[in-house]
Amino acid sequence: MPGHAQNGNGDDDMAHNVKLEFKPYDKPAEGGDVVVFVGADRKSAPSAAGLLGAELDETIARAAELERFKGKAKSVLVLIAPGGLAADRLIVAGLGEGEERARLDWTALGGAVCARLSAGGHAHVLFEAPGEAASAENAADFALGVLLRSYRFDRYKTKKKDDDNGGAPARVTIHVSDPAAAKRAWKSRAAVADGVFLARDLVNEPPNVLYPAAFAERAAELSRLGVDVEILDEKALKKLGMRALLGVGQGSHNESRVVIMRWNGARDDVKPIAFVGKGVTFDTGGISIKPAQNMEDMKGDMAGAACVVGLMHALAARKAKVNAIGAIGLVENMPDGRAQRPGDIVTSMSGQTIEIVNTDAEGRLVLADVLWHVQDKYGPAFMVDLATLTGAILVALGTEHAGLFSNNDELAERIAAAGRATGEKVWRMPLAPEYDKLIDSKFADMKNTGGRNGGSITAAQFLQRFVNNTPWAHLDIAGTGMSSPSSDINQSWGSGWGVRLLDQLVKDHYES
Ligand code: BES
Ligand code: MN
Ligand code: ZN
């Protein structure tokens, strides 16, 4: 991958921005940053104190007093290293107390600490929580946060600041009591981090570079990990009858594609689970053209598809014991002499007819055919689709939660639980016949929008018309997949949202 060499084998010597390694406790080398953890009492762990000298806690206590540092979870205090310490800087990270401590998100902590490390430097993390044994899992989660935070997308900047490593540390050594256990725990996280980076890269790429066929080629690279990749071109899509999807792409000189990725990590007789992504590589709105302001953001209208590719990467790289299908619909929505018109009626692959009343409601047309195809051909145990589907979901939920719609309470609750575990949060929204009625059409079986009110819900109702009895969930990620606010673990415009969520869902419930 450009920008980030892929290394899904979980080697601790990864070719990322940051070189991460797990080592036993050791006297930190000369120079660099030393990181220690403290609770609300601002006392470091015994081995940190042992390694750094008895005055350490006194130094921390004095500095904390001056800086009003209370040891709250994820708060970070940066000091010039006191005399007697070989390091240049001492970094004190808070773990919090009580409830806060119990709920501590080690990944977010890793991100918060990474933000304060010396750019281009070498940091030594004394990974020990005072008063308890810090687990190998915690250390691996912390490392994941460091790595996710360090991501940069700078391949189009010709003047790189090569001295500062893009603001991230060059090397982070995490000192743990059991390095072998930490490395084992790290392996699967490294695979997930690579999947997130792949998704972010795809979302950040400009739309002249990442048009549908180019996107399909990127997805095809997953074959190196043992994923079976099939690319359907326009001829194949016509043959299948995907006229709803093809109608969206017909105004573009860039041909449409559908990509089917299959990872077979379980026995052949185990039903696959399926993930479907909206991949509009650029959404002008078509003839119902969007205003100029911020239209450039519509390069990110393929964040759903990017997540599906990133997830398939993660599952394959960590050799998940699951049969998973990833299917993405790739089109460019352009105005043109051949473009689809408002008023056109198209016949979808399902046979149902759709009156196009707004060419900017294109994502649902793409998903309609891909969902139908996946359900029909693969009979999956469930389907989850991800799409930057509606601006209305931003109005309803902002950028903190993705909208979750589902025909199945168990699946919905499992996704919500994975959201709580990973911090990629979802909020369930309603589906009901009263909403479904709003997309009935005078001229065809349905129309492609139900008006302004409840816009995210009528969009989901539209999708549901292409799902039979298969358990299904739809995630509207218009607010979370792109252009969302920076967080402890993400500073990138394209967030890679959903890769960690769905990897967790698979890990918790669907691996044999
Ligand atoms: N891709 C947009 C939705 C979107 C908006 C994503 C803002 C990310 C940020 C989608 O194709 C769209 O244009 N939806 C319309 C639907 C309307 C015409 C019914 C919308 O949300 O306005
Ligand atoms: Mn649109
Ligand atoms: Zn769109």
Side-chain angles (χ1 to χ4, degrees), residues 42 102 157 180 186 206 214 231 257 303 350 365 429 465 510-511:
R42 296 173 299 198
K157 293 206 184 270
W186 173 243
I231 299 179
R257 296 282 186 272
S350 73
L365 299 167
M429 303 279 286
R465 291 196 183 198
Y510 300 98
E511 290 193 60

PDB file of all heavy atoms in Angstrom, residues 42 102 157 180 186 206 214 231 257 303 350 365 429 465 510-511:
ATOM      1  N   ARG A  42      -1.088   9.645  42.007  1.00  0.00           N
ATOM      2  CA  ARG A  42       0.079  10.112  41.255  1.00  0.00           C
ATOM      3  C   ARG A  42       1.355   9.367  41.648  1.00  0.00           C
ATOM      4  O   ARG A  42       2.450   9.887  41.589  1.00  0.00           O
ATOM      5  CB  ARG A  42       0.236  11.632  41.401  1.00  0.00           C
ATOM      6  CG  ARG A  42      -0.952  12.339  40.779  1.00  0.00           C
ATOM      7  CD  ARG A  42      -0.960  13.797  41.021  1.00  0.00           C
ATOM      8  NE  ARG A  42      -1.015  14.132  42.426  1.00  0.00           N
ATOM      9  CZ  ARG A  42      -1.373  15.319  42.897  1.00  0.00           C
ATOM     10  NH1 ARG A  42      -1.701  16.284  42.065  1.00  0.00           N
ATOM     11  NH2 ARG A  42      -1.397  15.554  44.178  1.00  0.00           N
ATOM     12  N   ALA A 102     -11.696   1.587  35.933  1.00  0.00           N
ATOM     13  CA  ALA A 102     -12.253   0.290  35.526  1.00  0.00           C
ATOM     14  C   ALA A 102     -12.651   0.309  34.052  1.00  0.00           C
ATOM     15  O   ALA A 102     -12.544  -0.691  33.356  1.00  0.00           O
ATOM     16  CB  ALA A 102     -13.463  -0.045  36.397  1.00  0.00           C
ATOM     17  N   LYS A 157       2.023  15.115  -0.745  1.00  0.00           N
ATOM     18  CA  LYS A 157       2.795  16.293  -0.340  1.00  0.00           C
ATOM     19  C   LYS A 157       4.217  16.114  -0.851  1.00  0.00           C
ATOM     20  O   LYS A 157       4.882  15.140  -0.482  1.00  0.00           O
ATOM     21  CB  LYS A 157       2.776  16.436   1.184  1.00  0.00           C
ATOM     22  CG  LYS A 157       1.403  16.770   1.725  1.00  0.00           C
ATOM     23  CD  LYS A 157       1.534  17.497   3.048  1.00  0.00           C
ATOM     24  CE  LYS A 157       0.182  17.768   3.670  1.00  0.00           C
ATOM     25  NZ  LYS A 157      -0.376  19.058   3.244  1.00  0.00           N
ATOM     26  N   ALA A 180       6.630 -12.124  25.305  1.00  0.00           N
ATOM     27  CA  ALA A 180       6.095 -13.135  24.377  1.00  0.00           C
ATOM     28  C   ALA A 180       4.567 -13.079  24.364  1.00  0.00           C
ATOM     29  O   ALA A 180       3.938 -13.132  23.300  1.00  0.00           O
ATOM     30  CB  ALA A 180       6.578 -14.523  24.770  1.00  0.00           C
ATOM     31  N   TRP A 186      -0.503  -8.944  20.303  1.00  0.00           N
ATOM     32  CA  TRP A 186      -0.333  -7.888  19.307  1.00  0.00           C
ATOM     33  C   TRP A 186      -0.660  -8.361  17.893  1.00  0.00           C
ATOM     34  O   TRP A 186      -1.148  -7.600  17.064  1.00  0.00           O
ATOM     35  CB  TRP A 186       1.094  -7.348  19.365  1.00  0.00           C
ATOM     36  CG  TRP A 186       1.406  -6.390  18.267  1.00  0.00           C
ATOM     37  CD1 TRP A 186       2.325  -6.536  17.282  1.00  0.00           C
ATOM     38  CD2 TRP A 186       0.762  -5.117  18.034  1.00  0.00           C
ATOM     39  NE1 TRP A 186       2.301  -5.447  16.444  1.00  0.00           N
ATOM     40  CE2 TRP A 186       1.347  -4.566  16.883  1.00  0.00           C
ATOM     41  CE3 TRP A 186      -0.261  -4.420  18.689  1.00  0.00           C
ATOM     42  CZ2 TRP A 186       0.948  -3.341  16.368  1.00  0.00           C
ATOM     43  CZ3 TRP A 186      -0.655  -3.191  18.167  1.00  0.00           C
ATOM     44  CH2 TRP A 186      -0.052  -2.671  17.031  1.00  0.00           C
ATOM     45  N   PRO A 206      -7.713  10.840  -3.640  1.00  0.00           N
ATOM     46  CA  PRO A 206      -8.543  11.741  -4.457  1.00  0.00           C
ATOM     47  C   PRO A 206      -9.349  10.957  -5.499  1.00  0.00           C
ATOM     48  O   PRO A 206      -8.937   9.867  -5.910  1.00  0.00           O
ATOM     49  CB  PRO A 206      -7.508  12.651  -5.124  1.00  0.00           C
ATOM     50  CG  PRO A 206      -6.257  11.852  -5.160  1.00  0.00           C
ATOM     51  CD  PRO A 206      -6.281  10.969  -3.936  1.00  0.00           C
ATOM     52  N   ALA A 214     -10.079   1.541 -10.521  1.00  0.00           N
ATOM     53  CA  ALA A 214      -8.854   1.621  -9.718  1.00  0.00           C
ATOM     54  C   ALA A 214      -9.099   1.079  -8.306  1.00  0.00           C
ATOM     55  O   ALA A 214      -8.259   0.374  -7.732  1.00  0.00           O
ATOM     56  CB  ALA A 214      -8.364   3.069  -9.650  1.00  0.00           C
ATOM     57  N   ILE A 231     -13.926  -9.594  -9.780  1.00  0.00           N
ATOM     58  CA  ILE A 231     -14.324  -8.254 -10.226  1.00  0.00           C
ATOM     59  C   ILE A 231     -15.349  -8.391 -11.353  1.00  0.00           C
ATOM     60  O   ILE A 231     -15.083  -9.044 -12.363  1.00  0.00           O
ATOM     61  CB  ILE A 231     -13.109  -7.448 -10.733  1.00  0.00           C
ATOM     62  CG1 ILE A 231     -12.079  -7.278  -9.610  1.00  0.00           C
ATOM     63  CG2 ILE A 231     -13.552  -6.073 -11.259  1.00  0.00           C
ATOM     64  CD1 ILE A 231     -10.828  -6.512 -10.006  1.00  0.00           C
ATOM     65  N   ARG A 257     -18.099  -0.942 -11.351  1.00  0.00           N
ATOM     66  CA  ARG A 257     -17.619  -2.276 -11.007  1.00  0.00           C
ATOM     67  C   ARG A 257     -18.339  -2.771  -9.743  1.00  0.00           C
ATOM     68  O   ARG A 257     -18.718  -1.959  -8.895  1.00  0.00           O
ATOM     69  CB  ARG A 257     -16.119  -2.272 -10.673  1.00  0.00           C
ATOM     70  CG  ARG A 257     -15.180  -1.892 -11.807  1.00  0.00           C
ATOM     71  CD  ARG A 257     -14.998  -3.053 -12.772  1.00  0.00           C
ATOM     72  NE  ARG A 257     -13.995  -2.761 -13.786  1.00  0.00           N
ATOM     73  CZ  ARG A 257     -14.251  -2.149 -14.944  1.00  0.00           C
ATOM     74  NH1 ARG A 257     -15.470  -1.749 -15.233  1.00  0.00           N
ATOM     75  NH2 ARG A 257     -13.268  -1.933 -15.807  1.00  0.00           N
ATOM     76  N   ALA A 303     -16.745   5.438   1.700  1.00  0.00           N
ATOM     77  CA  ALA A 303     -16.212   5.001   2.996  1.00  0.00           C
ATOM     78  C   ALA A 303     -16.786   3.641   3.415  1.00  0.00           C
ATOM     79  O   ALA A 303     -16.106   2.862   4.089  1.00  0.00           O
ATOM     80  CB  ALA A 303     -16.495   6.054   4.065  1.00  0.00           C
ATOM     81  N   SER A 350     -33.629  -7.322  -8.577  1.00  0.00           N
ATOM     82  CA  SER A 350     -34.694  -8.069  -7.892  1.00  0.00           C
ATOM     83  C   SER A 350     -35.959  -8.164  -8.751  1.00  0.00           C
ATOM     84  O   SER A 350     -36.875  -8.911  -8.422  1.00  0.00           O
ATOM     85  CB  SER A 350     -35.046  -7.375  -6.576  1.00  0.00           C
ATOM     86  OG  SER A 350     -35.768  -6.171  -6.830  1.00  0.00           O
ATOM     87  N   LEU A 365     -29.524   2.986  -4.545  1.00  0.00           N
ATOM     88  CA  LEU A 365     -29.707   2.270  -5.820  1.00  0.00           C
ATOM     89  C   LEU A 365     -28.581   1.266  -6.033  1.00  0.00           C
ATOM     90  O   LEU A 365     -28.779   0.162  -6.542  1.00  0.00           O
ATOM     91  CB  LEU A 365     -29.749   3.273  -6.981  1.00  0.00           C
ATOM     92  CG  LEU A 365     -30.892   4.299  -6.924  1.00  0.00           C
ATOM     93  CD1 LEU A 365     -30.659   5.432  -7.921  1.00  0.00           C
ATOM     94  CD2 LEU A 365     -32.229   3.603  -7.203  1.00  0.00           C
ATOM     95  N   MET A 429     -31.986   3.119  15.108  1.00  0.00           N
ATOM     96  CA  MET A 429     -33.045   3.963  14.555  1.00  0.00           C
ATOM     97  C   MET A 429     -34.196   3.054  14.128  1.00  0.00           C
ATOM     98  O   MET A 429     -33.999   1.872  13.878  1.00  0.00           O
ATOM     99  CB  MET A 429     -32.514   4.739  13.353  1.00  0.00           C
ATOM    100  CG  MET A 429     -31.289   5.608  13.650  1.00  0.00           C
ATOM    101  SD  MET A 429     -31.704   7.181  14.403  1.00  0.00           S
ATOM    102  CE  MET A 429     -32.386   8.053  12.995  1.00  0.00           C
ATOM    103  N   ARG A 465     -36.379  -3.128   1.245  1.00  0.00           N
ATOM    104  CA  ARG A 465     -37.185  -3.734   0.175  1.00  0.00           C
ATOM    105  C   ARG A 465     -36.359  -4.695  -0.687  1.00  0.00           C
ATOM    106  O   ARG A 465     -36.906  -5.398  -1.534  1.00  0.00           O
ATOM    107  CB  ARG A 465     -37.819  -2.649  -0.697  1.00  0.00           C
ATOM    108  CG  ARG A 465     -38.914  -1.864   0.037  1.00  0.00           C
ATOM    109  CD  ARG A 465     -39.756  -1.086  -0.960  1.00  0.00           C
ATOM    110  NE  ARG A 465     -40.773  -0.255  -0.302  1.00  0.00           N
ATOM    111  CZ  ARG A 465     -41.837   0.232  -0.917  1.00  0.00           C
ATOM    112  NH1 ARG A 465     -42.033  -0.020  -2.218  1.00  0.00           N
ATOM    113  NH2 ARG A 465     -42.702   0.978  -0.269  1.00  0.00           N
ATOM    114  N   TYR A 510     -18.820 -15.016  15.766  1.00  0.00           N
ATOM    115  CA  TYR A 510     -18.939 -15.789  14.528  1.00  0.00           C
ATOM    116  C   TYR A 510     -17.716 -16.611  14.147  1.00  0.00           C
ATOM    117  O   TYR A 510     -17.610 -17.071  13.023  1.00  0.00           O
ATOM    118  CB  TYR A 510     -19.346 -14.863  13.372  1.00  0.00           C
ATOM    119  CG  TYR A 510     -20.668 -14.188  13.649  1.00  0.00           C
ATOM    120  CD1 TYR A 510     -20.726 -12.890  14.152  1.00  0.00           C
ATOM    121  CD2 TYR A 510     -21.866 -14.888  13.480  1.00  0.00           C
ATOM    122  CE1 TYR A 510     -21.944 -12.288  14.457  1.00  0.00           C
ATOM    123  CE2 TYR A 510     -23.084 -14.299  13.777  1.00  0.00           C
ATOM    124  CZ  TYR A 510     -23.116 -12.998  14.273  1.00  0.00           C
ATOM    125  OH  TYR A 510     -24.317 -12.417  14.573  1.00  0.00           O
ATOM    126  N   GLU A 511     -16.790 -16.781  15.093  1.00  0.00           N
ATOM    127  CA  GLU A 511     -15.628 -17.611  14.756  1.00  0.00           C
ATOM    128  C   GLU A 511     -15.772 -18.986  15.371  1.00  0.00           C
ATOM    129  O   GLU A 511     -16.151 -19.127  16.527  1.00  0.00           O
ATOM    130  CB  GLU A 511     -14.337 -16.925  15.228  1.00  0.00           C
ATOM    131  CG  GLU A 511     -14.044 -15.707  14.384  1.00  0.00           C
ATOM    132  CD  GLU A 511     -12.646 -15.172  14.576  1.00  0.00           C
ATOM    133  OE1 GLU A 511     -11.693 -15.920  14.315  1.00  0.00           O
ATOM    134  OE2 GLU A 511     -12.516 -14.016  15.001  1.00  0.00           O
TER     135      GLU A 511
END
